[in-house]
Amino acid sequence: MKKLELIYEGKAKKIFTTDITEQLIVEFKDDATAFNGQKKGEINKKGVLNNEISIIFFDLLAKHQIPHHQIKRISAKEVLVEKLEIIPVEVVMRNKVAGSLAERIGLKEGTMLKKPILEFYYKNDELGDPMINQFHIDSLELATVDELEEMSWLAFQINEILYDFLQEKEIDLIDFKLEFGKNKAGKVILGDEISPDTCRFWDLETGEKLDKDRFRRDLGNVTAAYQEILKRIQDGDNK
Amino acid sequence: MKKLELIYEGKAKKIFTTDITEQLIVEFKDDATAFNGQKKGEINKKGVLNNEISIIFFDLLAKHQIPHHQIKRISAKEVLVEKLEIIPVEVVMRNKVAGSLAERIGLKEGTMLKKPILEFYYKNDELGDPMINQFHIDSLELATVDELEEMSWLAFQINEILYDFLQEKEIDLIDFKLEFGKNKAGKVILGDEISPDTCRFWDLETGEKLDKDRFRRDLGNVTAAYQEILKRIQDGDNK
């Protein structure tokens, strides 16, 4: 496996081509941004931690037959993935109220939702990733109706799998963001990462935040929180 | 029919009880507000014009078997309606890009959408009527899944009826807002009003705005625009 050309550099990741056509290397960075790039910084060891954390979650999802892009770990900071045509819709699943949802619906952060809430955001930095719905997605042809149904169904499945797994690790899964793409065969596949950058994890007992909100809100001990997540999900047998 | 107690006064309407339990009188006001009440003013004759306009549209919808709250015209400014338990979801249907949608998806005002877009807003002044989706509505129990499906289906039907009718009157139906409620039998019924306050109407030929945007954007000739709409929809046979 040869790492060839850098084809994309985003806020938290670099992507490289390899000598295999449909396979890419993702390299996780320590850089962190928030509020659509208005806040910038670095989280010590984040690249390594998010790579290891994300690999554990993707392995867990594979055991539950969730199709995803991950092929294998390459190094501490690198993972080999299947090349996808990214669908420009961010899928957010929420179990408890936090972040923008608190402002939107006027409920206190931490309020348990009667049912999980699925949200779609238009992946568009220039527009600030605005919230959209199924009709915007259909009319703008960001995804077909079938693709969106598949993404939604997978998001609910993934929520159940992660939620149950994390409860056993004494972690409360508040919300998380997913990105999907289509592989060469046109199949909808989970892409991106699953990490404290893309999920809200709270300690089940104390409610302590163990995710990127520590960076967003200047709560300190950011690296320690990411380390704590890795430690807990590595512990014991991952059922 | 006796007009009894004032039970509600909103931005554009007063509602009174009558001597019949399930019937209310709506009185249209000349007051106008915009941007969630930040802009206030008065549009000369608006009460009378919106009442007459709305009655014509509701009569048209009745011919197409759309269930709505309107019973009959009482006076120039008043209409008798069936009492509804209002569902706190504003339903917006869009045929062309305008207003907040232009900012949200980054398309120029006036862009024709490939398919009409349906949006839901949480009817909540304190929160500024935020956009929500079917999952917020279900989780917050603002409406049941069945009710929301019925509202959506009706909104698409109403769009077709109004769009075709207005094209013949040389009016381009850009977008509009609907509100629904449940009657005593639990049936989902169209409520509120259909007027230049709740729709965007553009002259089909010139694109001239003939609606509340003239007030919102200080374009002048507001009353004349409302009068023009009434004149056009009164003209000829309303098929």
Side-chain angles (χ1 to χ4, degrees):
Chain A
M1 176 62 48
K2 271 189 205 153
K3 192 174 175 178
L4 299 176
E5 195 191 346
L6 175 72
I7 52 165
Y8 169 82
E9 178 160 5
K11 298 166 195 165
K13 288 190 278 286
K14 291 179 185 175
I15 298 178
F16 297 86
T17 54
T18 69
D19 50 352
I20 301 175
T21 320
E22 295 302 319
Q23 299 192 358
L24 300 171
I25 288 174
V26 174
E27 184 189 311
F28 285 79
K29 294 161 63 175
D30 292 346
D31 297 342
T33 64
F35 311 117
N36 198 31
Q38 290 179 300
K39 178 170 180 157
K40 283 179 187 172
E42 197 173 290
I43 299 171
N44 188 28
K45 297 182 191 163
K46 179 167 81 81
V48 171
L49 290 163
N50 276 359
N51 189 38
E52 302 295 358
I53 291 168
S54 195
I55 286 170
I56 293 172
F57 284 127
F58 275 108
D59 284 346
L60 173 71
L61 294 178
K63 282 186 201 160
H64 290 82
Q65 285 76 50
I66 300 293
H68 62 63
H69 71 156
Q70 181 175 296
I71 299 167
K72 66 171 183 191
R73 184 182 184 281
I74 296 283
S75 74
K77 278 192 173 186
E78 295 167 311
V79 64
L80 186 69
V81 301
E82 185 179 4
K83 188 178 173 180
L84 300 180
E85 183 194 329
I86 289 292
I87 295 168
V89 174
E90 297 190 348
V91 176
V92 171
M93 179 64 81
R94 301 174 176 277
N95 295 305
K96 281 188 176 173
V97 174
S100 66
L101 184 64
E103 290 153 54
R104 186 178 300 276
I105 62 173
L107 289 180
K108 231 186 90 192
E109 197 161 80
T111 306
M112 186 73 191
L113 293 163
K114 289 192 181 173
K115 294 181 187 178
I117 288 177
L118 188 65
E119 295 176 339
F120 305 117
Y121 292 85
Y122 188 6
K123 201 170 148 61
N124 187 316
D125 283 342
E126 228 172 279
L127 299 173
D129 297 337
M131 195 171 92
I132 52 177
N133 68 29
Q134 66 197 98
F135 301 102
H136 300 106
I137 291 168
D138 188 26
S139 187
L140 296 175
E141 298 180 347
L142 305 182
T144 67
V145 171
D146 284 352
E147 285 162 5
L148 192 66
E149 241 174 57
E150 180 72 9
M151 290 158 67
S152 303
W153 187 82
L154 287 170
F156 278 102
Q157 297 297 310
I158 291 165
N159 188 36
E160 284 192 21
I161 297 163
L162 296 183
Y163 188 87
D164 291 348
F165 172 79
L166 288 164
Q167 287 280 311
E168 285 189 28
K169 312 297 180 188
E170 302 286 315
I171 298 167
D172 201 5
L173 179 61
I174 305 304
D175 56 36
F176 58 96
K177 180 206 72 168
L178 302 173
E179 295 187 22
F180 294 88
K182 284 179 288 182
N183 67 8
K184 214 181 165 184
K187 194 179 169 195
V188 172
I189 303 272
L190 180 65
D192 199 42
E193 66 182 279
I194 300 176
S195 74
D197 270 18
T198 64
C199 305
R200 283 195 173 88
F201 297 128
W202 292 2
D203 181 86
L204 196 58
E205 188 103 352
T206 65
E208 192 193 356
K209 295 181 199 312
L210 300 170
D211 56 54
K212 196 174 160 187
D213 271 346
R214 301 204 72 82
F215 168 77
R216 287 189 196 98
R217 304 179 189 188
D218 296 314
L219 300 176
N221 301 317
V222 187
T223 300
Y226 282 55
Q227 280 168 330
E228 178 65 22
I229 292 296
L230 177 58
K231 185 174 149 277
R232 290 201 199 176
I233 65 175
Q234 280 175 327
D235 274 350
D237 48 337
N238 299 338
K239 287 163 201 160
Chain B
M1 177 62 48
K2 270 191 207 154
K3 193 172 174 178
L4 298 177
E5 196 191 347
L6 175 71
I7 53 164
Y8 169 83
E9 178 159 6
K11 298 166 194 165
K13 288 189 279 286
K14 290 179 185 175
I15 298 177
F16 297 85
T17 53
T18 68
D19 50 353
I20 301 174
T21 320
E22 295 301 320
Q23 300 191 357
L24 300 171
I25 288 174
V26 174
E27 183 188 311
F28 285 78
K29 294 162 62 175
D30 292 347
D31 297 342
T33 63
F35 312 117
N36 198 30
Q38 290 179 300
K39 177 170 181 158
K40 284 180 189 173
E42 196 172 290
I43 299 172
N44 188 27
K45 297 181 192 161
K46 181 167 79 80
V48 170
L49 289 163
N50 275 359
N51 189 38
E52 301 296 358
I53 291 168
S54 196
I55 286 170
I56 292 172
F57 284 127
F58 275 108
D59 283 347
L60 172 71
L61 294 177
K63 282 185 200 159
H64 289 83
Q65 286 75 50
I66 301 292
H68 63 62
H69 71 158
Q70 180 174 297
I71 298 167
K72 66 172 183 189
R73 185 181 182 281
I74 296 282
S75 74
K77 278 192 172 187
E78 295 167 310
V79 64
L80 185 69
V81 302
E82 186 179 3
K83 187 178 175 179
L84 299 180
E85 184 195 329
I86 288 295
I87 295 168
V89 174
E90 296 189 349
V91 176
V92 171
M93 179 63 82
R94 301 174 177 277
N95 295 306
K96 282 189 176 173
V97 174
S100 66
L101 185 65
E103 290 153 53
R104 186 177 301 276
I105 62 174
L107 289 179
K108 231 185 90 192
E109 197 161 83
T111 306
M112 186 72 190
L113 294 164
K114 290 191 180 172
K115 294 181 187 178
I117 288 177
L118 188 65
E119 295 176 339
F120 305 117
Y121 292 85
Y122 187 6
K123 201 169 147 62
N124 186 318
D125 283 341
E126 228 171 278
L127 299 172
D129 297 337
M131 195 171 90
I132 52 175
N133 68 29
Q134 66 197 95
F135 301 103
H136 299 106
I137 291 167
D138 188 26
S139 187
L140 296 175
E141 298 179 346
L142 305 182
T144 68
V145 171
D146 285 352
E147 284 162 5
L148 193 65
E149 241 174 57
E150 179 73 9
M151 288 158 68
S152 302
W153 186 83
L154 287 170
F156 278 102
Q157 296 297 309
I158 291 165
N159 189 35
E160 284 191 21
I161 297 163
L162 296 184
Y163 188 86
D164 291 348
F165 172 80
L166 288 164
Q167 287 280 311
E168 285 189 30
K169 313 294 180 189
E170 302 286 314
I171 299 167
D172 201 4
L173 179 61
I174 305 304
D175 56 34
F176 57 95
K177 181 207 72 169
L178 301 173
E179 296 186 22
F180 294 87
K182 284 179 287 181
N183 66 9
K184 212 181 165 183
K187 194 179 169 195
V188 172
I189 304 271
L190 179 65
D192 201 41
E193 66 181 278
I194 300 177
S195 74
D197 270 17
T198 64
C199 306
R200 283 194 173 89
F201 297 128
W202 293 2
D203 181 87
L204 197 59
E205 187 104 351
T206 65
E208 192 193 356
K209 295 182 200 312
L210 300 171
D211 55 56
K212 196 174 159 188
D213 272 345
R214 301 204 72 84
F215 167 77
R216 285 189 197 97
R217 304 179 190 189
D218 296 316
L219 301 175
N221 300 318
V222 188
T223 299
Y226 282 54
Q227 279 168 330
E228 179 64 24
I229 292 295
L230 178 58
K231 185 174 148 278
R232 291 202 199 175
I233 65 175
Q234 281 175 328
D235 274 350
D237 48 337
N238 299 338
K239 288 161 201 159

